Amino acid sequence: MDAQGRGRADDVDPADQWVLNPRTGEYELRLSPSSPESSVPGPRTAGPRTPGRRTTAPGREVPPQRRRRAEPEAPVPGRRGRRPEKKKSRGKRVLLWTGGSMAFVVLLAGVGGYVYLKHLEGNVSTTDVGTAGSSSFKKDEAFNILIIGTDKRTGEGNEGYGDKGSVGHADTNILLHVSKDRSNATALSIPRDLIVDIPDCETTQEDGTKKVVPGSSGVRFNQSLGDLGRDAGCTMRTVKAVTGIQPHHFMMADFNAVKTLTTAVDGVDVCVEHAVDDPKSHLQLPAGESTVEGEQALAFVRTRHAFGNEGDLDRIKVQQQFLGSLMRKMSSSDTLTSPTKLVKLAEAATKALTVDKAIGKVGTLKDMALELKKVPTKNITFTTVPVIDNPAEKVKATVVVNEAKGPQVFDMIKNDISFTEVEQKQKKEKAAVAARLKGEKSEPGEVRVRVMNGGAPTGSAQQELAYLQTQAGVSKSENAGNAPADLAKTTLEYAPDQADQARALAEILGLSGAAMKPGESVTNAQGLPTMTLTLGKDFKGAGVKLDGSVKKPDLDTESTADQKLCAS
């Protein structure tokens, strides 16, 4: 129903005011003279309206559009407020670019969009986490967001989920790492039943005073939120204590978020290998693909008894598949070209969120969403903290970190290393690796190289030299001090007749083909030609492989956001 057909201005859907201007090919906020008021939330202008004029903000009037004398203005196709016919216009391209940032298409409307933006900002709740996170969001750096789903039972129809009277524990937890170059991201799920030590944490009370909540040892991870008055900052500190990874920001939502977000995008596609009839969650699905939204979507991500061994780890796999599908639906052209869906999505997303104060502005959330939108879905990896059953329990109910695999996963995230092969890097490296690394290799004892520090921490050249001489067998190596300039990447320069030596050293150090620089050799104290190894800022320590193809651990659970999987 369009705006003119509604009885009251308060009932007007903001999306119904967005129409396509056929002359410019862009969506515009249109308020007809007969409309009693703007449907954009925000301050309303008092007093009588001037006929033939429209008001966008208090004290500001916009004159009606002039008509050309030669030809009348073309009517807007279709009934105003309905979704316009799809076509490849500049307006569509604007929406595609803007839509990826939580439906901020309203920004294109000038003053009216600003008013609506402030309205959205009022939907978002914030928590002061103090030093547990970062004080601001930076576009040019890698960032880590802790996404928390609580088991707090708010909203109609949620009585069948979570613990009755729960203050809101950290029920679902995903640490999202977005790489500095935006080529990849990793979503690391943290089991709620993981046994951890929760550190002391400072919380901010409602009256502004500070209170330190004492830590707890050997408890479930989900107790890092809610228990003893712990806030999301305590959960962030617990993640840092367990993984060594610093969460910069957090986003938290309760059960209602799943219901409202899936409804806003008209449902999310899911797949199950076998038909589901779970009386506890009331989830009923046929085998194969289905579309779920609202209450049914919440039942899908909450059920523990329909999949696998009916445990939390199997439920995490289902939640990861669901999240990948939701991301695909939110970024689909069907969503991004629909003003109605975009506004519903913006309202649902902002009302569902509680975030840290540093990102509490909608403009900051928009910037963050745009940065995440740069990451290809095929390079967004979903995985879970490697765990084993808690050896202290006879009846297995909790898990602990797998010390054989966990630290390696944490280090990869801390060092901004992708869990997926980035296509662009792979193409650039392929030719260089084939040409420079293929061929005969000298024995380590025949390799002559001098080591220089070109941006690595102080003392790195001597540490690497000691490793080469004592552990790698490169006895004809020497320390050449500091390079004349700092380098971002480690390089090995060599003459054409030293290629066999270069290949041998590259294998020892894990140098990529791009790090090998055919050029000239230098003469050492004995008058013999010598290669030059210059340690750059990417140097991670003596004996640590330098190439980008770090061997990752064999993980039990891993998928990417572009994969359509069936829960089993």
Side-chain angles (χ1 to χ4, degrees):
M1 188 173 185
D2 63 20
Q4 292 177 337
R6 300 183 195 271
R8 296 185 299 112
D10 291 342
D11 294 331
V12 178
D13 187 338
D16 291 339
Q17 300 297 310
W18 291 88
V19 295
L20 182 70
N21 186 330
R23 294 188 301 170
T24 64
E26 296 183 352
Y27 289 101
E28 296 180 354
L29 185 65
R30 295 283 185 85
L31 305 177
S32 67
S34 60
S35 298
E37 290 188 33
S38 167
S39 64
V40 176
R44 296 188 173 120
T45 304
R49 298 172 59 90
T50 303
R53 304 178 72 88
R54 51 194 175 93
T55 303
T56 58
R60 296 189 62 183
E61 291 185 340
V62 179
Q65 294 183 341
R66 298 178 180 177
R67 295 180 180 269
R68 296 182 178 179
R69 295 182 179 180
E71 56 183 16
E73 180 180 355
V76 176
R79 183 165 60 87
R80 192 170 1 188
R82 294 180 65 99
R83 179 176 174 179
E85 181 183 357
K86 292 183 181 179
K87 58 182 180 180
K88 294 180 180 179
S89 64
R90 191 163 71 91
K92 180 175 178 179
R93 291 196 299 271
V94 171
L95 279 171
L96 286 172
W97 178 82
T98 310
S101 59
M102 293 173 58
F104 290 102
V105 66
V106 289
L107 288 176
L108 302 177
V111 175
Y114 174 77
V115 173
Y116 187 56
L117 185 68
K118 300 306 289 184
H119 159 74
L120 290 177
E121 198 163 281
N123 290 342
V124 181
S125 300
T126 61
T127 298
D128 183 2
V129 298
T131 59
S134 297
S135 59
S136 62
F137 172 70
K138 298 178 180 179
K139 296 182 182 180
D140 58 348
E141 295 182 357
F143 60 91
N144 303 317
I145 307 173
L146 180 60
I147 302 171
I148 306 171
T150 76
D151 60 355
K152 192 171 184 178
R153 291 163 41 161
T154 59
E156 183 179 355
N158 294 330
E159 295 80 6
Y161 302 102
D163 299 326
K164 186 175 182 180
S166 173
V167 293
H169 296 104
D171 194 52
T172 300
N173 311 277
I174 298 175
L175 181 62
L176 177 64
H177 169 79
V178 181
S179 69
K180 182 176 181 178
D181 63 4
R182 309 301 187 244
S183 66
N184 65 90
T186 301
L188 180 69
S189 291
I190 304 173
R192 68 173 192 174
D193 295 329
L194 178 68
I195 296 299
V196 299
D197 292 338
I198 300 175
D200 297 345
C201 60
E202 184 179 74
T203 61
T204 302
Q205 306 301 300
E206 291 184 2
D207 59 3
T209 59
K210 304 290 185 180
K211 175 185 176 181
V212 176
V213 180
S216 301
S217 299
V219 296
R220 282 178 166 88
F221 181 89
N222 68 342
Q223 292 179 235
S224 63
L225 179 70
D227 277 17
L228 306 178
R230 294 187 176 109
D231 61 15
C234 299
T235 310
M236 295 171 74
R237 294 180 193 275
T238 304
V239 170
K240 175 68 179 297
V242 173
T243 67
I245 303 169
Q246 173 64 64
H248 299 118
H249 307 285
F250 86 87
M251 293 182 177
M252 181 168 63
D254 57 23
F255 290 156
N256 270 346
V258 175
K259 296 164 67 172
T260 56
L261 286 175
T262 54
T263 300
V265 296
D266 291 342
V268 172
D269 297 331
V270 299
C271 181
V272 294
E273 289 188 2
H274 308 286
V276 175
D277 186 2
D278 181 9
K280 293 187 177 181
S281 67
H282 308 294
L283 178 65
Q284 293 181 327
L285 289 176
E289 296 185 354
S290 299
T291 300
V292 297
E293 67 175 276
E295 188 71 32
Q296 193 178 32
L298 178 58
F300 183 81
V301 298
R302 287 292 304 150
T303 181
R304 296 184 59 166
H305 304 284
F307 308 112
N309 296 321
E310 302 187 8
D312 189 50
L313 296 180
D314 289 300
R315 181 171 63 175
I316 286 176
K317 297 177 186 177
V318 174
Q319 291 172 343
Q320 291 171 346
Q321 295 171 16
F322 177 86
L323 184 56
S325 182
L326 176 60
M327 292 175 67
R328 292 193 298 271
K329 188 63 177 288
M330 290 174 66
S331 61
S332 69
S333 59
D334 184 57
T335 299
L336 300 182
T337 55
S338 170
T340 301
K341 286 184 181 179
L342 287 172
V343 171
K344 287 181 179 178
L345 187 55
E347 292 283 352
T350 51
K351 287 179 180 178
L353 288 178
T354 298
V355 302
D356 56 286
K357 283 188 175 296
I359 58 173
K361 299 291 185 182
V362 170
T364 306
L365 291 173
K366 172 186 72 74
D367 290 341
M368 183 177 290
L370 285 175
E371 293 302 306
L372 181 58
K373 184 176 180 289
K374 296 177 182 178
V375 183
T377 54
K378 66 179 180 179
N379 289 333
I380 301 177
T381 301
F382 292 99
T383 190
T384 305
V385 171
V387 296
I388 59 174
D389 288 333
N390 186 354
E393 294 177 334
K394 292 183 178 180
V395 178
K396 304 303 180 184
T398 61
V399 293
V400 296
V401 173
N402 183 338
E403 294 299 335
K405 297 181 179 180
Q408 191 172 351
V409 170
F410 306 150
D411 286 344
M412 288 180 68
I413 294 176
K414 283 190 291 185
N415 292 320
D416 202 20
I417 297 175
S418 173
F419 281 69
T420 57
E421 290 184 345
V422 181
E423 184 177 1
Q424 183 178 6
K425 178 181 178 182
Q426 185 181 17
K427 287 182 177 179
K428 288 181 178 180
E429 291 283 306
K430 188 174 181 180
V433 169
R436 299 173 187 173
L437 295 180
K438 188 175 182 180
E440 294 183 1
K441 302 178 182 67
S442 299
E443 293 296 324
E446 298 175 0
V447 174
R448 289 189 300 274
V449 62
R450 62 176 191 155
V451 184
M452 303 185 73
N453 191 334
T458 302
S460 294
Q462 185 58 40
Q463 294 170 10
E464 185 73 340
L465 178 65
Y467 165 76
L468 290 174
Q469 292 180 341
T470 62
Q471 297 186 50
V474 185
S475 56
K476 297 177 182 178
S477 51
E478 58 187 79
N479 190 337
N482 293 327
D486 287 351
L487 300 177
K489 300 289 186 180
T490 297
T491 62
L492 175 63
E493 185 175 2
Y494 57 96
D497 60 353
Q498 295 173 311
D500 54 347
Q501 296 183 44
R503 286 190 286 267
L505 190 61
E507 184 177 53
I508 293 171
L509 301 180
L511 293 177
S512 66
M516 300 173 66
K517 305 295 183 183
E520 298 180 355
S521 63
V522 295
T523 303
N524 65 9
Q526 289 76 38
L528 299 173
T530 304
M531 300 184 297
T532 301
L533 175 67
T534 306
L535 304 179
K537 294 179 181 178
D538 61 337
F539 180 74
K540 298 181 177 65
V544 179
K545 297 287 187 179
L546 285 164
D547 61 1
S549 59
V550 176
K551 180 176 173 56
K552 65 181 180 181
D554 182 17
L555 301 175
D556 296 329
T557 59
E558 184 179 342
S559 62
T560 53
D562 64 323
Q563 294 178 307
K564 296 181 180 180
L565 304 175
C566 289
S568 60

